[in-house]
Amino acid sequence: MNKPQWITLSVAILLVVGLFAATQGTLFGERKAKTSAASAPHTGHDHEDGFGTDSVLYYAKQNLPQTQVARLAQLENSITRGDVADQKLHLMHQLARFWADSAKAFTPMAWYPYAFYTAEAARLENSEKSLSFAARLFLDVLGREEDPRVKHWEAEQAKDLFERSLKLAPGNDSVKVGLGATILYGGLDAPMTGISMIREVVEKDSTNAFAQLTLGEASLLSGQLDKAAERFTTVNRLQPSNLQAILLLADTYERMNKKEEAVRWYQKALPFVNNPEMKKEIDKRVSDLKNNQ
C-alpha cells in the first residue's frame, strides 16, 4: 500500500461510519433520477448536469429488496393532514433511521440518504447543534470524494447547513472552521477564502484544535510538509489522544523521509486504534519503514 493510499485509508476509517467506507461517486450512474416523493423543504432538485439530491435518492434505492422498497414508499407518503411541519420532522427522522439501520445491510450507498434526511431534519429543527452535526456528516467525507458531481452536492449541503448554524451562533468558531473547510475542500470558492476563515479563528484562539488540524491538512495537500507537521504537533499537544492528528503526523514525516519519526508516531497511534485491520496495516507500515531505513 503506497503512502497516499495509506493516509486515505486511515482517515477514512477514522472519520466515517462503516457503511460508507465502501462507497464512492463511481457507484452513481449517469441516468437522471426521478424526483423523490418524500422531497422535504430543501431537497434541491437535480442540477443542470443531471445530478443532485433526486439522483442520490434514486440510486440509493436500486439495490434494496422489494420489501424494503415497499416500506420506504410507505414512509415517504406518510404525511397526512394536520400538523404537517411536525409530521415532516418526524418523517425525516424516520427516513434517516431507515437508511442508517434497515438499509445498511442491503446497500453500501445508504450513507448518502441517511446524511441527507438527517440534514433535512436539522433544517426543520433549526437548532445550532442539529445543523452543525448534519454539516459535519458531509464535511467528514468531502475531502475523499472522487466523483466531482457527488463532491459538489456534498459541499452544497455542508455549506448550507454551516451557514444556517452560523446565523444562529455567529460566535461559534467550530462552525466557522467547518464552513471554511467546506469551501476549501468543496471547491465552492477560491481555496484561500476558506483558509482565511480558518486562520481568523486560529489568530483569535491558537488552542482551537479543529482549526489547527484543518490548516494542517491544507498544508499537507499543498505539499507544505514542515507547516503540516507543525500544525499536527500542535493538535497532539492540545489533544494527545486525537488519532487523526497522530496518523497524519506519521504520514507527514514519512513523506518527509524522516522514517524514525514516522515509525515513532505510527507506534504512538496503536494504543488508540480499535480496528484490527487498521492495526495490522499500521504494523505493516512500521515494519516496511524499519526494513528500509
Side-chain angles (χ1 to χ4, degrees):
M1 179 177 289
N2 61 35
K3 285 183 277 188
Q5 288 175 322
W6 163 246
I7 198 59
T8 298
L9 173 63
S10 62
V11 176
I13 294 174
L14 284 169
L15 296 181
V16 189
V17 291
L19 72 94
F20 182 74
T23 70
Q24 287 296 340
T26 52
L27 293 177
F28 289 98
E30 297 296 330
R31 179 181 173 186
K32 182 173 179 178
K34 296 180 180 179
T35 302
S36 169
S39 294
H42 192 268
T43 54
H45 297 305
D46 287 350
H47 297 292
E48 290 181 4
D49 63 359
F51 187 89
T53 297
D54 295 338
S55 298
V56 169
L57 300 179
Y58 174 85
Y59 288 111
K61 296 176 184 178
Q62 296 310 293
N63 294 322
L64 289 178
Q66 221 33 56
T67 54
Q68 292 293 96
V69 173
R71 170 60 179 152
L72 183 57
Q74 183 182 24
L75 284 173
E76 290 176 341
N77 294 287
S78 63
I79 294 179
T80 58
R81 293 181 181 179
D83 192 349
V84 176
D86 281 351
Q87 286 187 45
K88 281 187 176 180
L89 176 58
H90 181 61
L91 174 60
M92 294 306 108
H93 284 306
Q94 282 187 300
L95 286 166
R97 283 195 297 270
F98 170 88
W99 287 105
D101 299 329
S102 303
K104 65 184 177 183
F106 305 109
T107 170
M109 294 177 68
W111 179 89
Y112 293 96
Y114 159 72
F116 171 70
Y117 286 120
T118 299
E120 289 297 90
R123 291 179 178 110
L124 288 166
E125 289 177 5
N126 198 37
S127 72
E128 176 198 348
K129 183 178 179 179
S130 60
L131 288 164
S132 296
F133 173 80
R136 284 298 297 266
L137 286 177
F138 291 100
L139 175 59
D140 285 348
V141 299
L142 192 57
R144 296 188 337 278
E145 185 56 64
E146 294 179 351
D147 190 317
R149 303 167 304 162
V150 183
K151 187 168 193 169
H152 185 77
W153 174 76
E154 291 169 346
E156 285 186 324
Q157 294 288 325
K159 182 173 182 288
D160 174 74
L161 292 160
F162 276 127
E163 287 176 342
R164 288 171 183 252
S165 183
L166 201 57
K167 284 182 180 179
L168 295 173
N172 190 317
D173 288 340
S174 292
V175 176
K176 290 179 182 177
V177 174
L179 180 56
T182 298
I183 293 171
L184 173 64
Y185 297 128
L188 299 178
D189 204 334
M192 283 307 300
T193 302
I195 291 176
S196 295
M197 294 180 68
I198 303 167
R199 281 179 177 166
E200 285 179 15
V201 173
V202 170
E203 288 170 5
K204 184 175 71 171
D205 178 12
S206 62
T207 65
N208 189 304
F210 181 27
Q212 292 282 8
L213 183 67
T214 306
L215 288 177
E217 290 174 332
S219 295
L220 186 61
L221 288 172
S222 63
Q224 301 177 77
L225 301 182
D226 288 334
K227 288 185 178 180
E230 182 181 346
R231 297 286 188 188
F232 297 142
T233 300
T234 297
V235 177
N236 181 255
R237 186 178 70 251
L238 296 170
Q239 298 178 346
S241 61
N242 189 318
L243 180 56
Q244 183 185 359
I246 295 172
L247 286 173
L248 286 168
L249 188 54
D251 179 74
T252 301
Y253 280 127
E254 186 176 353
R255 295 186 191 206
M256 296 168 75
N257 205 31
K258 295 183 177 182
K259 296 179 181 178
E260 289 185 8
E261 283 295 291
V263 166
R264 183 167 75 88
W265 284 98
Y266 279 132
Q267 290 176 328
K268 193 171 181 177
L270 286 171
F272 303 106
V273 178
N274 296 319
N275 184 291
E277 290 301 315
M278 191 175 183
K279 278 193 174 183
K280 189 184 299 184
E281 288 292 344
I282 292 176
D283 286 334
K284 183 179 185 303
R285 197 77 223 116
V286 168
S287 177
D288 289 345
L289 285 166
K290 285 182 176 179
N291 291 334
N292 289 304
Q293 284 183 356

